[in-house]
Amino acid sequence: MTRLSNDQLARLPAKVARPEYDRGAITPGIVHIGVGGFHRAHQAMYLDQLMSRGQAHDWGIIGVGVMPGDARMKEILSAQDHLYTLVVKHPDGRYEPRVIGSMIDYLHAPEDPLAVIEAMADPAIRIVSLTVTEGGYNLHPVTGEFNLDEPAVHQDLTASSLPRTSFGLVTEALARRRERGLAPFTVMSCDNIQGNGEVAKRMFSAFAAARDPELGEWMRREVAFPNSMVDRITPVTTPDDIDEVARRFTIEDAWPVVCEPFTQWVLEDHFTQGRPAFEDVGVQLVEDVEPYELMKLRLLNASHQALCYFGYLAGYRYAHEVCQDELFVNFLLDYMVKEASPTLAELPGVDLDDYRRTLIQRFANPEIRDTLARLCAESSDRIPKWLLPVIREQLANGGELHRAAAVVASWARYAEGIDEAGEPIEVVDRLSESLKAVAQSRQPLAFIEQRELFGDLAAQPRFVEAYRTALDSLHEGGARATLESLVQA
């Protein structure tokens, strides 16, 4: 068994790709906040590919964790010289391993916020990137405004101690660069939010303006916030994954990452201090990301929501199980073709039929074992951004919406916390308690009357009728019967 470290790279089995470049010569250029599985399977992977081509050796990644629980990531990565194994799982059962070497350090903000601030204030850092999840931007899902009353944000703005949130840390680092006469770094969001760069700009600038109006205006004027669309299914690493890496490749890795073969990154080419040559490893550099991100958010991400609640209620626990069931596949395709796709702008060079078929194939990959529980989590941060815009556009255009409305109903039924077999559901959501209460009340419109999530949709008769019909069917006949009626409609 080979434990991951710089000294042990040469001892890895020949079938395991590994950094052939001198990791000791890699210098930092990027600080990344929110080092989870997706970042390690995506952005860090692209940089590792560039480094393997002899490029981007001054763009090493310093990872940052801002949550107390991120201490474990720091401990594991530090013990492994910040190396980890990325395993691409192909549908035919083939595993493709690669040890990734593009991350060169990891800092834990709760332990030492000053170290994080000074790392970002270093002139060598030209990009600060983010994967802090959809809920990490502190915006109201209906108004889109920054929430200054959020307790951690309020503390960062009023306490005399060093900041702790990503907003406070990034803003303090930018303020120090400004005071020192240094150019600002680019803030690059890689989260699944429509217009993620624009959202990041509004949120970080609002925090900075609350601290110092002049600083906020400087940030809006001088700091680049490129939009991006990112895509790669990356399930949570399980103990079985760790055991498989050890068994198949004799690698002792305490936190490997597994992912699907497909990967995509569409990135607005807008940076204040340059960037790595991402286009050399397949990243699409474009002027306008929006058409691509809408395609992904409304087809891939919203389809995940369309399958996860119905699937879980029906007794499935993995996405691939759902997408090997013809009834669910027909429902997903109907949603994508008849409701989501009509809301998309024309995409030159993109075959939507092929994209939709590829999505079903990706979801059905049995090797990924993406859990429905993961897809069902944090719905109050996902549904308003991914699915509700489809409903609103279809309302405005007179288009079909009963399938999307049924997805909302399936979420309401799931939020009750009991599946169709009478087994409890662990609902993971920042609003889980309040949503569970309104869902269990069995008041027909109580769930969609949560204006924080749904705005005025409860006052839209066409949506309300479709929602109530689906919810009644879920209670009376269950998930399969409801889907059968929807597919036949």
Side-chain angles (χ1 to χ4, degrees):
M1 191 74 64
T2 304
R3 184 171 184 178
L4 278 184
S5 69
N6 287 329
D7 294 340
Q8 298 298 310
L9 284 175
R11 295 186 56 205
L12 294 174
K15 60 184 174 181
V16 178
R18 82 290 309 269
E20 301 290 350
Y21 49 88
D22 178 6
R23 294 191 74 229
I26 302 299
T27 58
I30 297 173
V31 168
H32 182 82
I33 300 174
V35 179
F38 179 77
H39 167 71
R40 296 196 287 154
H42 197 264
Q43 182 188 341
M45 178 275 299
Y46 282 105
L47 280 160
D48 181 76
Q49 288 187 348
L50 274 174
M51 291 172 182
S52 294
R53 295 165 60 106
Q55 301 171 246
H57 286 188
D58 58 342
W59 288 100
I61 300 169
I62 298 175
V64 169
V66 297
M67 306 300 291
D70 291 332
R72 180 168 174 263
M73 178 72 79
K74 174 180 170 58
E75 178 184 355
I76 288 173
L77 288 177
S78 297
Q80 298 180 174
D81 290 335
H82 307 98
L83 296 164
Y84 60 91
T85 314
L86 177 65
V87 179
V88 177
K89 292 187 173 183
H90 294 267
D92 61 4
R94 182 167 55 92
Y95 281 32
E96 184 182 356
R98 181 179 187 87
V99 173
I100 303 295
S102 54
M103 187 176 302
I104 58 175
D105 200 0
Y106 187 98
L107 305 174
H108 190 220
E111 176 186 319
D112 192 349
L114 181 59
V116 173
I117 292 165
E118 284 299 328
M120 291 188 285
D122 187 326
I125 299 301
R126 286 148 286 163
I127 295 174
V128 170
S129 52
L130 307 161
T131 46
V132 292
T133 77
E134 299 81 13
Y137 289 81
N138 193 42
L139 74 164
H140 193 285
V142 175
T143 68
E145 298 300 320
F146 187 73
N147 182 12
L148 291 169
D149 295 325
E150 198 279 326
V153 167
H154 181 74
Q155 182 175 357
D156 270 8
L157 287 170
T158 57
S160 58
S161 57
L162 289 168
R164 300 283 175 163
T165 67
S166 59
F167 305 103
L169 294 164
V170 169
T171 300
E172 177 62 26
L174 283 168
R176 293 186 182 206
R177 290 176 78 113
R178 183 183 180 218
E179 292 165 0
R180 297 168 188 176
L182 300 173
F185 46 71
T186 294
V187 178
M188 183 174 70
S189 171
C190 295
D191 281 299
N192 280 317
I193 300 173
Q194 183 178 341
N196 54 14
E198 294 164 9
V199 170
K201 182 174 184 175
R202 290 203 318 271
M203 299 304 108
F204 281 91
S205 298
F207 178 93
R211 167 181 156 165
D212 175 355
E214 186 180 349
L215 178 63
E217 180 55 36
W218 174 84
M219 189 181 296
R220 281 188 287 266
R221 186 177 65 251
E222 301 293 337
V223 180
F225 292 84
N227 291 304
S228 69
M229 183 272 266
V230 296
D231 189 4
R232 186 169 226 182
I233 297 172
T234 309
V236 174
T237 302
T238 68
D240 286 345
D241 292 323
I242 296 171
D243 291 343
E244 277 291 288
V245 168
R247 185 181 68 81
R248 289 180 182 237
F249 311 117
T250 64
I251 297 175
E252 184 182 341
D253 186 340
W255 206 329
V257 183
V258 298
C259 64
E260 65 169 337
F262 183 91
T263 182
Q264 187 176 21
W265 190 2
V266 183
L267 180 61
E268 180 185 3
D269 199 358
H270 177 46
F271 292 80
T272 52
Q273 290 204 81
R275 58 168 175 78
F278 288 127
E279 66 273 22
D280 289 350
V281 286
V283 179
Q284 296 167 262
L285 276 298
V286 300
E287 291 185 6
D288 184 9
V289 173
E290 183 178 22
Y292 300 91
E293 66 186 3
L294 287 179
M295 177 185 72
K296 192 250 180 170
L297 294 172
R298 296 181 182 183
L299 293 179
L300 184 149
N301 294 113
S303 291
H304 266 156
Q305 308 315 118
L307 70 85
C308 66
Y309 313 109
F310 277 117
Y312 198 101
L313 292 168
Y316 291 124
R317 292 297 178 262
Y318 292 94
H320 71 271
E321 297 172 335
V322 175
C323 286
Q324 292 169 2
D325 185 320
E326 185 178 7
L327 174 62
F328 284 83
V329 169
N330 289 337
F331 172 70
L332 286 177
L333 287 172
D334 279 351
Y335 159 75
M336 287 193 277
V337 172
K338 298 177 181 178
E339 299 188 15
S341 294
T343 72
L344 302 177
E346 189 171 340
L347 278 163
V350 175
D351 183 334
L352 278 182
D353 283 338
D354 180 69
Y355 184 80
R356 291 187 292 254
R357 287 193 299 270
T358 299
L359 285 180
I360 297 297
Q361 293 167 2
R362 293 169 62 192
F363 295 165
N365 184 341
E367 296 298 325
I368 293 300
R369 298 185 66 79
D370 202 6
T371 66
L372 296 184
R374 183 186 81 87
L375 301 180
C376 291
E378 308 300 346
S379 304
S380 62
D381 290 324
R382 295 175 171 182
I383 291 283
K385 300 179 182 72
W386 300 345
L387 186 72
L388 299 191
V390 171
I391 292 172
R392 291 194 174 93
E393 288 203 29
Q394 292 294 84
L395 278 170
N397 298 328
E400 295 183 27
L401 54 78
H402 57 280
R403 299 170 190 86
V407 177
V408 176
S410 71
W411 175 26
R413 172 64 184 85
Y414 176 89
E416 292 176 16
I418 300 290
D419 70 11
E420 292 177 7
E423 296 297 321
I425 299 172
E426 182 185 1
V427 178
V428 178
D429 194 285
R430 62 186 175 86
L431 301 177
S432 59
E433 291 304 314
S434 61
L435 291 178
K436 185 175 182 179
V438 295
Q440 289 183 344
S441 73
R442 293 295 182 94
Q443 297 298 314
L445 304 185
F447 195 81
I448 59 173
E449 286 173 343
Q450 308 304 300
R451 291 187 64 87
E452 177 187 355
L453 299 173
F454 296 99
D456 66 348
L457 283 179
Q460 303 295 323
R462 208 153 63 88
F463 167 71
V464 170
E465 180 182 2
Y467 168 81
R468 288 191 64 171
T469 298
L471 188 60
D472 288 345
S473 177
L474 283 162
H475 284 138
E476 294 167 8
R480 292 197 70 87
T482 302
L483 289 181
E484 286 167 359
S485 65
L486 289 165
V487 168
Q488 294 168 3

